[in-house]
């Protein structure tokens, strides 16, 4: 029924099937939307956040999706600045994933701050000392960059592209894409880092605090490295998931393996520094404030197994897998490594967000427990649903995959 | 249409410039920031001149002399009055939120008449007063037909009430239980008379046996000020404080020593200490010293350990402290301000006699009976207790036709409240003069709203615990009460007039001023925040040995535990549920959600087979209370402690249904030899749910 | 790496709280709630959602009966000399730049991101999870000293700053020096109401104020000294177990990690 809107030379499933799929996703989206409206009406009181856990699922979710969406800027940097041409096969997908991740994070943030109408105050009253001011600047600007990178893709929709003005607009934007990629890489490096910097400057939270270089705590660099160490492979996982769902090949394995190599290399660098950092923190910093490594953990939910899982099982292991060609070139192992990698980075974001503030620093204070409630899950689910919606529409109508025609002959 | 690079750049630049130059964006941003600060549902502050007006804040039993801060005439805060010789600038936690209580959602808004089970109808004052008169008139002249219960310990209102009853031919005037009542009886058992006082200020060793003197006993603020003066920050302490009681409470937390004594062993502890002191050389010139010495000799250190679980070194330590002290003082009281028998009082007070501290500086004093404002009023020392009265109503021994309840909550704050409520049900006509919709008002046939302390005249004669006769009085801070209320005494004095009585005052203000005159105080100086003080009377006491000989000896048992009710002033009083501004002070190891905690130490928990956080029920007699266990090492051996004042079924959403009312499991018994009703030595059975 | 540099002020408002005199009565908490227009809470037992600018903690020596001892510790905002919260606020809604060293909180500017709450190890900052609900009529008992806050903004103790401004005005009117107020001319509500006088308040730099000497006492300590936040609230206790609970001592640390006094 909507055949005229498909990209050239490719097949898509029936409109009916597509509608059913979209309805299914919409259900999650609408449930989350209901929660979101409730939050705007009644306040954050309806969530599971509290005085000890001002940051919770939403912040973890935001940081995780921003890290996972790093594929956009890093691939853009590699393709447009370092001219690794093979990445053109997957670059559009990384832009869409990036766009979904950042716009989704921004949507969550409108709920997460108590006074959303004042969100723009970060521009009007910026604090030069605050990592969060830097984050606000950079993620809003970068979201704009992603929109600018996404727009040409939309304009290349078969029917839209027939309009000369739009065609030329898209063409001109493509020509200048290197500029945007450069800006995007610059902005991203800083905000990925500043998100880590946000935790590293907390002198009141021994779990998160780090020394560093000039004004940047070590977590600044660790967060950038971990983001580029998982972003590319996350895009690969999204691609593979889409292939499984649609039954069509979208990107050739060579490109996927290249993304895996990129992610694996950065992940290896990251894990190296992460291990060094963890050791220095546990041995030097913690004793200087009178605390021990053991005091950073409690029970099962805050147990050492989480840190071990994050750094070894979901850090060192996938790093080794991804930089070893024989492992990397095996699809199952590539995807497994990718999943472990992404889980590891998500765990890292969770631990710095939640465990860091669960630890009682005052000796007569207690460990507290946090569990997100239905409103937080529903709204996070809404963003995931939003991502599925955008991606479904993009896949169906936009020429996202240059290799699709040739791979599906 | 072609679009070359130049055209593209032009479009982009044009768009950006246009966006920046249109006022829409800037104005919009400005507007949004103003909206986000000025939502209509956020309360605005009141404006006007800020003044501080002296007042007598009788929200706590003793009363605090305060200054109420007003803005444009509206009270908003309460601060202490540094010039008042009793309060010395201190304010208790309940009075600190006194201004907010004027708007408590539990306040009765207008006279209410019961029209059905749990249903009330607002009526006009003229109709309410007419109804009151209608019900009282036929009962005039018949002994015991009109009864009154008062929850006020110190006001001239008691004189008005008892004189009114006397004039109507009834002597059925009763007071709610309190320290003052039992202490007075105790002094009689020691061959003396008058209300006892305790000169904490002048003492260099203060041993509080049960009496929670730094939080909820006596004139708490004055006690705290005396404590503060004796222990200036950064300097050497001039006095030692020791607390002996069932739980490491607020008082004990700042004492030099805490001695955990189960509530069933208070008298035994005192006698064991007496024995140790006598063995160390203490001798008394009291007439019954030989008897006392022989009695105390039974309370050896080994017996002491059996009864209290405490090692003999504890006694030795206390004896050493007493020997080193020049002006020791022993304060006797129940750990929760009531229900202790007179014998517990006598046991502790006898230590003062033993050490020759009666009538001395820094010791125990006796107050002369205060002059009355109304001649026909009942003397304070002849007061009768409301618990016994309602018990006799329950059995049918007493058959009043009308009951006036003045600022009291017997349907909640008496042991076995369900029976007390049922007894009240036997009385045909009940009037509750209450500021708040409490459990008793919820049972009354007629509720006559009383003003809040800052809306009325009132006074306080000899609040319990003062070392010297002390009188305070106050007048209203605001011209008009917040609710449609009338001073209860004004109502009763008007009714008295209509019933043909002349009590010498037309309004309560007159009565209070008459009291001031009788006492020899200048009412205006008092209303401006002053205090009148007199001199204690001379007089000696004996050791009460005859009475003490009948004191029951308690032993720790395997099945039951001793039960210690605990009071914390911030959480409310017998008349006042936790005020809205104080609910925050309650700890989450005391109340969590709707669950009240029972405190016990690890050994007791183990013996009972319960763990921290376990759901349990405590039973005694026909009463049962549910709680969660909190393991608290500050609780004495074989003892379970719980907070009083929770489990309200009336009041407001801040307090209704939170926790349980432990008055339900306080079992009342007759004290051997004194005939007093006692419940401080209750025991309970604890079982897991 | 440079942390926030510590600004010095000529006047430094601080407290010395005597933990041997705090009975945990809670008058300070109530007076604070009243002075600062904090609405009464329906479930005040859920300490994870209550607003308690002043909060009394219960400390225990963790011994079994009968050696058990407890102490109560009132915790206002520490007004740190090197605050963890000020550098992190993205919109400069909290600052430490006024003579006296009080860390301000600007409600109309706060966007409610709660980053400052994550930063504060003393949990001195609270969030308005919902709009304040006063029982009907109780708005008439609002204090004129503190504006009512809407939901979604962070708030905290500010040493009753309005009282400082009033004390300065009074000094100016009476010909005194507003930058050198007399001891006791300016007192926050908690210090004023405390019935045992456990909370002493004043200018830590003024020798005529009691806190000047008290803060230097051998029994004085600050919470979490080792983190380097330089709190302006000192505590005192003659009991060593109480002092030891003021900081973490689980690890010996490197040289120079010993407790520091200012």
């Amino acid at each position: 029924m909507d055949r005229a809107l498909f990209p050239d030379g490719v097949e898509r499933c029936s409109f009916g099937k597509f509608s059913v799929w979209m309805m299914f996703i919409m259900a999650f989206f609408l449930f989350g939307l209901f929660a979101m409206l409730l939050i705007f009406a009644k306040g954050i009181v309806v969530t599971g956040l509290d005085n000890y856990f001002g940051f919770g699922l939403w912040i973890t979710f935001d940081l995780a999706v921003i890290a996972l969406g790093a594929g956009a800027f890093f691939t853009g940097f590699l393709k447009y600045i370092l001219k690794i041409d093979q990445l053109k096969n997957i670059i559009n997908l990384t832009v869409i994933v990036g766009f979904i991740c950042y716009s989704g994070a921004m949507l969550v943030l409108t709920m997460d701050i108590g006074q959303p109408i004042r969100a723009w105050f970060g521009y009007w009253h910026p604090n030069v000392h605050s990592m969060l001011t830097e984050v606000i600047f950079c993620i809003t600007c970068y979201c704009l960059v992603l929109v600018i990178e996404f727009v040409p893709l939309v304009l290349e929709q078969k029917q839209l592209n027939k309009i000369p003005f739009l065609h030329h607009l898209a063409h001109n934007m493509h020509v200048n894409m290197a500029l945007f990629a450069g800006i995007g890489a610059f902005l991203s490096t800083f905000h990925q880092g500043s998100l880590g910097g946000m935790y590293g400057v907390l002198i009141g939270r021994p779990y998160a605090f780090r020394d560093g270089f000039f004004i940047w705590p070590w977590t600044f660099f660790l967060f950038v490295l971990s983001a580029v160490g998982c972003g590319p492979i996350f895009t690969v996982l999204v691609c593979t998931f889409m292939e499984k769902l649609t039954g069509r090949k979208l990107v050739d394995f060579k490109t996927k393996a290249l993304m895996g190599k990129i992610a694996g290399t950065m992940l290896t660098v990251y894990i190296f520094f992460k291990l060094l950092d963890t050791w220095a923190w546990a041995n030097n910093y913690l004793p200087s404030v009178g605390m021990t490594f053991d005091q950073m953990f409690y029970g099962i939910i805050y147990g050492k197994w989480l840190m071990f899982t994050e750094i070894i099982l979901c850090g060192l292991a996938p790093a080794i897998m991804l930089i070893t060609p024989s492992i990397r070139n095996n699809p199952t192992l590539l995807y497994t490594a990718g999943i472990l990698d992404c889980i590891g980075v998500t765990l890292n974001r969770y631990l710095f967000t939640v465990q860091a503030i669960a630890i009682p620093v005052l000796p007569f204070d207690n460990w507290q427990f946090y569990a997100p409630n239905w409103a937080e899950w529903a709204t996070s689910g809404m963003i995931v649903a939003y991502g599925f919606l955008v991606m479904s529409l993009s896949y169906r109508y936009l020429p996202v995959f240059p290799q699709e025609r040739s791979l599906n002959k | 249409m072609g679009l070359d690079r130049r055209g593209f750049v032009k479009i982009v630049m044009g768009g950006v410039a246009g966006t920046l130059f249109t006022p829409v964006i800037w104005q919009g941003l400005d507007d949004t920031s103003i909206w986000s600060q000025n939502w209509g549902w956020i309360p605005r502050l009141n404006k006007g001149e800020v003044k501080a007006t002296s007042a007598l804040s009788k929200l706590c039993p003793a009363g605090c002399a305060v200054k109420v801060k007003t803005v444009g005439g509206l009270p908003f805060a309460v601060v202490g009055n540094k010039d008042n010789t009793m309060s010395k600038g201190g304010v208790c936690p309940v009075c600190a939120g006194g201004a907010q209580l004027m708007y408590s959602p539990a306040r009765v808004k207008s006279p209410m008449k019961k029209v059905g089970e749990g249903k009330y109808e607002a009526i006009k004052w003229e109709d309410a007063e007419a109804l009151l008169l209608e019900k009282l008139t036929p009962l005039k002249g018949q002994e015991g037909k009109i009864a009154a219960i008062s929850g006020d310990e110190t006001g001239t209102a008691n004189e008005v009430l008892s004189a009114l009853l006397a004039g109507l031919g009834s002597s059925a005037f009763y007071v709610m239980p309190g320290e003052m009542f039992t202490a007075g009886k105790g002094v009689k058992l020691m061959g003396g008379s008058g209300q006892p006082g305790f000169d904490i200020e002048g003492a260099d060793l203060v041993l509080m046996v049960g009496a929670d003197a730094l939080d909820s006993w006596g004139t708490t603020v004055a006690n705290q000020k005396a404590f503060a003066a004796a222990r200036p920050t950064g300097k050497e302490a001039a006095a030692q404080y020791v607390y002996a009681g069932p739980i490491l409470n607020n008082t004990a937390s700042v004492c030099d020593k805490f001695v955990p004594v189960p509530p069933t062993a208070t008298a035994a502890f005192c006698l064991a200490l007496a024995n140790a002191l006598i063995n160390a050389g203490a001798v008394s010139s009291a007439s019954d010293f030989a008897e006392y010495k022989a009695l105390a000799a039974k309370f050896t250190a080994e017996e002491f350990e059996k009864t209290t679980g405490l090692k003999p070194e504890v006694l030795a330590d206390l004896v050493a402290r007493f020997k080193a002290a020049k002006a020791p003082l022993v304060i006797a009281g129940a750990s929760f301000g009531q229900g202790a028998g007179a014998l517990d009082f006598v046991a502790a007070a006898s230590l003062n006699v033993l050490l020759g501290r009666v009538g001395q500086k820094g010791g125990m004093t006796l107050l002369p009976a205060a002059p009355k404002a109304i001649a026909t009023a009942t003397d304070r020392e002849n007061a009768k207790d409301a618990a016994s009265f309602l018990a006799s109503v329950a059995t049918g021994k007493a058959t009043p036709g009308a009951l006036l309840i003045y600022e009291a909550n017997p349907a909640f704050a008496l042991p076995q409240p369900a029976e007390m409520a049922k007894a009240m049900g036997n009385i045909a006509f009940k009037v509750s003069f209450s500021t708040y919709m409490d459990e008793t008002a919820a049972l009354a046939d007629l509720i006559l709203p009383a003003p809040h302390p800052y809306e009325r005249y009132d006074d306080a004669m000899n609040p319990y615990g003062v070392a010297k006769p002390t009188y305070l009085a106050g007048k209203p801070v605001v011209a008009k009460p917040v609710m449609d209320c009338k001073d209860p005494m004004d109502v009763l004095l008007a009714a008295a007039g209509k019933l043909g009585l002349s009590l010498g005052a037309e309004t309560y203000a007159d009565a209070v001023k008459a009291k001031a005159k009788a006492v020899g105080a200048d009412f205006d100086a008092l209303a401006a925040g002053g205090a009148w003080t007199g001199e204690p009377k001379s007089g000696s006491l004996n050791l009460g040995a005859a009475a003490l000989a009948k004191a029951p000896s308690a032993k720790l048992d395997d099945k039951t535990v001793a039960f210690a009710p605990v009071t914390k002033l911030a959480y409310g009083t017998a008349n006042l549920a936790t005020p809205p501004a104080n609910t925050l002070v309650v700890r989450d190891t005391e109340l969590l959600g709707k669950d009240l905690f029972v405190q016990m130490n690890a050994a007791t928990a183990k013996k009972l087979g319960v763990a921290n956080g376990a759901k349990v029920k405590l039973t005694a007699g026909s009463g049962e209370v549910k709680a969660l266990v909190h393991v608290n090492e500050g609780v004495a051996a074989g003892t379970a402690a719980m907070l009083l004042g929770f489990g309200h079924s009336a009041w407001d959403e801040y307090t209704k249904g939170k926790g349980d009312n432990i008055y339900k499991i306080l079992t009342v018994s007759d004290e051997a030899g004194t005939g007093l009703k006692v419940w401080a030595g209750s025991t309970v059975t604890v079982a897991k749910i | 790496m440079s942390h926030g540099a510590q600004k010095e002020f000529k006047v430094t408002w601080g407290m010395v709280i005597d933990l041997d005199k705090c009975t945990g009565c809670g008058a300070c908490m109530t007076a604070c709630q009243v002075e600062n227009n904090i609405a009464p809470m329906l479930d005040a037992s859920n300490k994870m959602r209550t607003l308690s600018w002043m909060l009394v903690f219960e400390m225990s020596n963790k011994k079994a009966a009968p050696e058990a001892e407890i102490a109560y510790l009132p915790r206002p905002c520490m007004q740190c000399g090197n605050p963890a919260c000020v550098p992190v606020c993205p919109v400069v809604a909290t600052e430490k730049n006024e003579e006296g060293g009080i860390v301000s909180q600007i409600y109309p500017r706060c966007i409610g991101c709660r980053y400052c709450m994550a930063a504060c190890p003393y949990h001195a900052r609270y969030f308005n999870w919902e709009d304040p609900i006063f029982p009907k009529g109780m708005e008439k008992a609002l204090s004129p000293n503190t504006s009512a806050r809407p939901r979604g903004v962070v708030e905290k103790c500010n040493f009753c700053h309005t009282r400082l401004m009033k004390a300065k005005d009074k000094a100016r009117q009476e010909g005194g020096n507003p930058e050198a107020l007399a001891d006791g001319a300016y007192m926050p509500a908690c210090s004023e109401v405390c019935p045992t006088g456990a909370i002493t308040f004043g200018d830590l730099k003024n020798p005529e104020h009691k806190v000047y000497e008290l803060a230097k006492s051998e029994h004085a300590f600050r919470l979490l000294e080792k983190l380097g936040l330089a709190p302006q609230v000192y505590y005192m206790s003659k009991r060593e177990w109480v002092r030891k609970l003021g900081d973490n001592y689980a690890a010996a640390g490197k040289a120079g990690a010993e407790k520091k006094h200012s």
Side-chain angles (χ1 to χ4, degrees), chain B residues 224-239 254, chain C residues 15-23 74 183 187 191 194-201 204 209-221 234-239:
Chain B
Q224 287 169 311
K225 287 293 176 193
F227 168 79
R231 298 152 84 85
T233 302
K235 299 206 181 72
E236 285 303 309
V254 292
Chain C
M15 284 179 181
V16 178
I17 303 182
D18 188 344
L19 300 180
D20 297 332
K21 279 163 81 173
C22 174
T23 59
D183 196 7
M187 280 174 96
S191 176
C194 177
T196 55
I199 304 179
T200 311
F201 179 83
L204 292 166
H209 285 215
K210 283 196 220 73
V211 292
Y212 180 80
E213 279 305 324
L214 290 176
K216 300 192 170 111
S217 155
E218 53 168 343
H219 295 135
F221 67 98
Y234 288 76
Y235 292 90
M236 273 182 77
S237 177
K238 296 194 173 109
R239 295 174 277 182

Side-chain angles (χ1 to χ4, degrees), chain A residues 89-333:
Chain A
N89 295 326
I90 200 166
I91 187 105
N92 290 336
L93 182 62
T94 66
V95 166
I96 302 176
V97 170
F99 171 77
I100 292 170
C101 287
Y102 279 80
S103 56
M106 304 271 293
L107 194 59
V108 167
L109 284 170
T110 58
M111 289 183 285
D112 207 354
I113 61 174
Q115 286 280 340
I117 298 182
R118 299 181 187 172
W120 57 278
F121 281 11
Y123 279 93
W124 203 247
H125 302 287
N127 180 354
V128 301
H129 299 295
S130 172
M131 288 283 175
L132 190 50
T133 294
E134 208 283 325
V135 167
I136 291 176
F137 283 175
C138 284
I139 63 173
T140 46
C141 291
Y142 184 61
C143 201
L144 200 60
V145 167
L146 280 169
V147 169
I148 293 172
E149 291 182 348
F150 191 28
V151 162
L153 199 55
V154 174
L155 295 180
E156 279 165 4
Q157 201 282 324
K158 196 165 91 173
Q159 300 301 332
L160 287 176
N161 208 23
K162 290 185 179 156
I163 301 166
F165 173 71
L166 294 181
H167 171 80
H168 285 108
L169 185 58
H171 174 72
N172 274 297
M173 287 175 90
H174 264 309
V175 163
N176 293 301
M177 202 44 76
L179 175 66
F180 295 117
I183 295 173
F186 174 78
L187 290 172
S188 276
T189 306
F190 272 94
H191 75 247
Q192 294 284 0
S194 292
L195 284 170
M198 273 179 68
Y199 295 111
V201 297
L202 297 179
I203 53 177
R205 302 283 181 185
Y207 186 88
F209 181 74
R210 297 292 187 278
D211 271 325
F213 171 72
F214 190 38
I215 57 169
W216 299 298
W218 300 126
T219 46
F220 181 99
F221 306 102
L222 290 174
F223 269 51
V224 182
L225 286 171
S226 54
V228 300
C230 76
I233 199 72
F234 179 67
T235 313
V236 168
L237 290 173
V238 170
C239 178
T240 308
F241 180 69
M242 288 169 72
E243 287 175 340
K244 293 265 186 290
L245 215 58
T246 61
R248 298 176 64 77
K249 291 216 177 313
L250 301 171
V251 172
D252 70 345
F253 190 75
K254 251 183 76 188
T255 310
K256 288 184 188 173
L258 174 60
M259 292 283 265
K261 182 171 161 193
I262 293 166
T265 310
M266 302 317 296
L267 186 64
T268 305
V269 175
Y270 164 66
I271 287 296
F272 173 71
F273 285 113
K274 175 73 173 168
L275 287 167
L276 268 178
D277 169 76
T278 306
W279 186 88
W281 162 76
N283 270 287
N284 296 341
Y285 176 68
L286 285 182
S288 78
V289 292
M291 299 191 86
T292 63
F293 182 65
D294 289 333
Q295 282 181 311
M296 299 287 110
F297 303 94
Y298 182 79
I300 298 184
I301 204 150
Y302 296 123
K304 288 186 188 158
W305 68 275
L306 279 166
M307 185 183 258
F308 189 81
T309 304
E310 176 215 333
I311 302 178
I312 308 298
L313 179 63
C314 296
L316 190 61
I320 293 172
M321 288 167 81
L322 290 172
I323 58 172
T324 309
S326 53
I327 302 179
R328 177 176 72 236
N329 287 322
N330 175 327
T332 314
L333 292 176

Side-chain angles (χ1 to χ4, degrees), chain B residues 186-346:
Chain B
V187 164
K188 284 212 178 93
L189 288 170
M190 295 167 82
S193 64
Q195 180 176 312
F198 300 89
D199 182 15
I200 299 175
E201 241 179 321
D204 68 352
L205 168 63
V206 180
L207 168 63
M208 295 165 277
V209 181
D212 184 24
L214 299 179
D215 191 86
S216 63
W217 176 96
T219 49
T220 58
V221 167
N223 301 344
Q224 287 169 311
K225 287 293 176 193
F227 168 79
R231 298 152 84 85
T233 302
K235 299 206 181 72
E236 285 303 309
Q240 287 179 59
Y241 282 71
V242 177
Y243 182 76
I247 187 170
L248 219 193
N249 54 15
N250 287 356
T251 297
S253 71
V254 292
C255 283
D256 297 292
K257 183 139 181 84
F258 164 59
V259 182
V261 178
T264 42
T266 313
F269 163 74
C270 296
L271 288 169
L273 180 57
N275 187 38
L277 285 167
I278 291 171
N279 289 344
V283 164
S284 166
S285 56
S287 56
D288 55 349
F289 178 62
E291 232 186 299
Y292 186 78
K293 184 171 169 183
L295 175 64
K298 295 199 206 122
F299 293 83
T300 58
E302 293 73 40
E303 268 303 306
F304 175 69
E305 192 172 349
K306 267 202 230 139
T307 333
T308 61
L310 292 169
K311 301 253 174 290
E313 291 84 68
V314 173
L315 278 177
D317 170 78
L318 287 174
V319 167
R321 289 179 197 261
F322 272 97
K323 282 194 119 165
K326 295 196 190 63
L329 171 66
V330 179
I331 304 182
S335 66
F336 58 110
Q338 47 160 275
L343 292 181
D344 274 355
F345 176 86
V346 171

Side-chain angles (χ1 to χ4, degrees), chain B residues 139-222:
Chain B
L139 301 171
K140 194 171 144 179
Q142 305 167 56
E143 170 57 66
K145 280 302 174 193
I146 305 180
I149 295 179
S150 169
D152 177 10
E153 280 194 334
T154 58
T156 302
N158 284 354
E159 290 193 35
V160 174
L161 259 177
S162 57
L164 171 71
L165 255 51
L168 295 175
S170 169
S171 65
F173 171 69
Y174 303 95
V175 292
M176 288 290 283
E179 297 277 15
M180 192 189 274
F181 182 77
T182 25
K185 301 279 180 264
V187 164
K188 284 212 178 93
L189 288 170
M190 295 167 82
S193 64
Q195 180 176 312
F198 300 89
D199 182 15
I200 299 175
E201 241 179 321
D204 68 352
L205 168 63
V206 180
L207 168 63
M208 295 165 277
V209 181
D212 184 24
L214 299 179
D215 191 86
S216 63
W217 176 96
T219 49
T220 58
V221 167

Side-chain angles (χ1 to χ4, degrees), chain B residues 33 43 130 133 141 151 165 176 203 236 259 304 396 429 432 441 457-458 493 558-559 632 640 647 665-666 679-680 688:
Chain B
S33 83
L133 211 54
L165 255 51
M176 288 290 283
E236 285 303 309
V259 182
F304 175 69
F429 181 66
S432 170
Y457 283 86
D458 209 345
L493 286 166
D558 267 353
K559 296 279 185 313
N632 178 343
I665 52 173
L666 291 178
W679 51 92
K688 257 196 287 217

Side-chain angles (χ1 to χ4, degrees), chain C residues 3 18 62 67 85 92 117 123 152 164 167 181 199 260:
Chain C
H3 308 198
D18 188 344
K62 298 255 190 297
E67 275 83 50
C85 58
V92 199
M117 288 172 71
H123 301 289
L164 171 61
L181 293 172
I199 304 179
K260 298 185 284 278

